[in-house]
Amino acid sequence: MSKNHNSGLSIHYHTMNYLYQAANFLTHKGIMKEEEEGNEQELNNNIINNINLNKQINSDIKLSKHLLKSMKKISSKNVLRIHPSLKRTICKKCGILFIPDKTCKIREFQNDKNKQFYIEYICLSCGKSKTYLQSQQQSKTFQEEEINE
């Protein structure tokens, strides 16, 4: 009897998918708590409540980073590739999940020399920036947005 080697790999892909979704949920949860904390500080300046809330926010984001590291370990140990669109949503320096205007800034620009469009992700927690070349389809929508503005 021959074994189906692809079935073992699909389990790892499912695990990686689950870890990414859990990290995404925890990052959003931590950010929502930060926003609520800002509103609470305006209403109530109770120091003890703010310290407990900060610990909970940090624990959510730390757990999210840990899940993303685990996902990367699974992919490297089993020689599996993470899709580039998922890789681009994770900071390469600190490992936080990118959420536009919350954990990262996104800047789109065109190179003057070769007229190609680029997108730059700037992490708000560590300051690392990474630039990626945009596809032609994405650059067409960027041009249309500039014309409409």
Side-chain angles (χ1 to χ4, degrees):
M1 293 202 169
S2 66
K3 290 185 178 180
N4 188 358
H5 294 287
N6 292 334
S7 65
L9 295 178
S10 67
I11 293 171
H12 298 299
Y13 278 117
H14 288 295
T15 306
M16 289 170 36
N17 181 22
Y18 175 77
L19 292 172
Y20 183 81
Q21 288 181 14
N24 193 357
F25 172 75
L26 288 170
T27 304
H28 280 287
K29 182 180 168 188
I31 289 171
M32 295 301 288
K33 285 182 186 174
E34 280 182 6
E35 290 173 357
E36 289 173 7
E37 175 194 357
N39 294 338
E40 270 187 32
Q41 279 183 344
E42 293 171 3
L43 299 173
N44 184 6
N45 288 328
N46 191 349
I47 296 172
I48 297 170
N49 288 339
N50 290 338
I51 291 171
N52 291 336
L53 193 58
N54 282 335
K55 286 181 183 177
Q56 196 171 9
I57 291 167
N58 287 337
S59 67
D60 287 341
I61 293 181
K62 283 181 183 177
L63 182 57
S64 172
K65 288 181 182 182
H66 175 73
L67 293 175
L68 291 171
K69 283 182 185 178
S70 299
M71 183 185 80
K72 286 184 178 182
K73 282 183 184 178
I74 289 171
S75 70
S76 65
K77 286 187 177 185
N78 296 298
V79 193
L80 301 173
R81 291 184 180 210
I82 301 173
H83 196 270
S85 63
L86 292 180
K87 278 188 193 177
R88 292 177 182 180
T89 60
I90 303 169
C91 180
K92 294 186 186 303
K93 185 175 180 183
C94 67
I96 198 167
L97 188 70
F98 286 151
I99 299 172
D101 297 329
K102 306 289 183 181
T103 60
C104 75
K105 287 184 183 178
I106 297 177
R107 186 175 74 105
E108 296 175 332
F109 62 94
Q110 183 178 9
N111 190 347
D112 294 332
K113 294 179 183 176
N114 56 9
K115 304 294 182 192
Q116 290 184 331
F117 288 91
Y118 293 90
I119 186 164
E120 181 181 28
Y121 292 91
I122 303 167
C123 181
L124 296 178
S125 77
C126 68
K128 171 106 172 127
S129 68
K130 185 67 180 168
T131 306
Y132 297 104
L133 181 64
Q134 278 188 334
S135 67
Q136 290 180 351
Q137 185 179 23
Q138 289 175 333
S139 62
K140 286 179 185 176
T141 58
F142 177 65
Q143 288 174 340
E144 291 170 2
E145 288 175 7
E146 278 190 344
I147 292 170
N148 292 336
E149 290 176 0

